[in-house]
Amino acid sequence: MKKHFKGKQYDYRIIIEAVGLYCHFPLSYRDCSIIMKKYSIKVSHTTIYRWVQQYGKLLYHIWKKRNRRQKLSDSWRIDETYVKVKGKNRYLYRAIDSNGNTLDMWLRTHRDTVSTKAFIKRLIRDYGQPRSIVTDKYAPSLKAIKELKEKRILDRKVNHWKSKYLNNILEQDHRQVKSRFPYGNNFQSTYTAASTIKGIEVASALYKESRREINLFDFSPWDEIENLLKAA
């Protein structure tokens, strides 16, 4: 695990502490710096920002590799939510299974048929064919699934449910994740947004796993992140 922290000025446990604070709690980088200073750990908010950018991506790739091996439901919920980047809308495509487990996320510039098809292809590549897919009635989503079935990329036997009500579980999940975004939900670049969101998504996924295992009161983002890195 320590290979991921080679050459760092700070001990790996301090880095994990800072990344866990930012990704799991609705705090700013300055808030994290102040909290760590209270425990006699002096680290600037800009350093914490760099750690989140670097380790958010790393954690996402390790988590995703592990997630592919998990036994997940083959009933998918797919939806997108907006994210502000320099005041402009970008779209965060997200997918969970019927039990609320996170399958994947992908930040895209456009909310259209091309983006929806690309996201579903990615899910199929990672998890195989689903039994059913739930989306809202947004036209590009309907068109994307229809075209994927016509090209036999998506099995024609897959049930496609078009219901906002059935997607409530994902709408609630959007809110949980977005509550940890920066104040005003506004990022300064797409790269920063993607890297930060990956870290937040992983922390959220680990929390949901712990909650389902009835370990809610024992949940520690730092222990979970460390265990994830050890298993890599």
Side-chain angles (χ1 to χ4, degrees):
M1 180 190 73
K2 291 183 180 179
K3 66 182 180 182
H4 299 301
F5 302 91
K6 189 175 180 180
K8 295 296 181 184
Q9 178 184 352
Y10 291 85
D11 185 83
Y12 75 92
R13 287 165 292 189
I14 292 175
I15 297 174
I16 289 174
E17 183 83 17
V19 172
L21 266 177
Y22 184 82
C23 292
H24 182 61
F25 300 99
L27 300 169
S28 70
Y29 292 112
R30 289 184 186 276
D31 291 335
C32 295
S33 178
I34 291 168
I35 290 170
M36 296 188 75
K37 187 176 181 180
K38 181 158 180 76
Y39 293 96
S40 301
I41 303 171
K42 293 184 179 180
V43 54
S44 71
H45 65 280
T46 54
T47 299
I48 296 174
Y49 163 80
R50 289 195 296 270
W51 288 344
V52 170
Q53 296 306 297
Q54 178 180 351
Y55 291 101
K57 291 184 294 182
L58 175 65
L59 290 170
Y60 169 75
H61 290 301
I62 295 172
W63 166 82
K64 191 173 178 182
K65 186 177 180 180
R66 190 200 69 170
N67 212 41
R68 293 191 194 109
R69 300 193 297 265
Q70 304 274 31
K71 190 173 181 180
L72 302 171
S73 168
D74 56 3
S75 178
W76 300 347
R77 272 67 171 155
I78 299 173
D79 193 23
E80 63 284 327
T81 184
Y82 76 92
V83 175
K84 291 284 186 183
V85 177
K86 285 191 175 180
K88 295 182 179 179
N89 283 347
R90 297 293 180 265
Y91 299 93
L92 181 63
Y93 280 78
R94 304 183 69 245
I96 63 174
D97 70 6
S98 57
N99 296 317
N101 298 299
T102 303
L103 295 172
D104 203 0
M105 50 70 60
W106 201 4
L107 187 63
R108 304 283 290 185
T109 303
H110 302 290
R111 183 191 184 202
D112 55 17
T113 302
V114 173
S115 295
T116 306
K117 284 167 66 176
F119 186 54
I120 295 174
K121 284 180 184 178
R122 182 158 137 162
L123 290 170
I124 293 170
R125 182 194 67 205
D126 290 339
Y127 300 103
Q129 292 287 337
R131 172 174 51 85
S132 63
I133 294 177
V134 179
T135 68
D136 56 20
K137 297 180 181 180
Y138 185 55
S141 299
L142 308 184
K143 185 179 178 183
I145 290 177
K146 181 182 177 183
E147 290 181 3
L148 288 171
K149 283 188 174 184
E150 287 173 352
K151 294 180 180 178
R152 299 186 180 276
I153 295 171
L154 181 65
D155 196 311
R156 293 187 178 185
K157 294 180 181 178
V158 173
N159 293 317
H160 179 204
W161 303 99
K162 301 169 278 291
S163 169
K164 195 162 187 176
Y165 169 74
L166 290 174
N167 249 3
N168 276 350
I169 185 174
L170 184 50
E171 293 287 347
Q172 292 170 11
D173 205 63
H174 286 336
R175 287 194 286 273
Q176 291 289 334
V177 171
K178 290 178 76 173
S179 69
R180 295 171 174 80
F181 286 4
Y183 179 76
N185 184 24
N186 196 5
F187 293 90
Q188 294 306 306
S189 73
T190 302
Y191 177 84
T192 298
S195 300
T196 305
I197 291 169
K198 284 174 179 176
I200 292 171
E201 286 277 8
V202 171
S204 174
L206 295 174
Y207 175 74
K208 287 188 289 184
E209 289 174 18
S210 178
R211 184 175 60 185
R212 270 185 288 278
E213 292 169 3
I214 320 181
N215 292 325
L216 179 61
F217 298 105
D218 294 328
F219 179 76
S220 164
W222 310 286
D223 290 345
E224 294 295 335
I225 289 172
E226 187 169 349
N227 291 336
L228 189 64
L229 289 167
K230 284 179 179 177

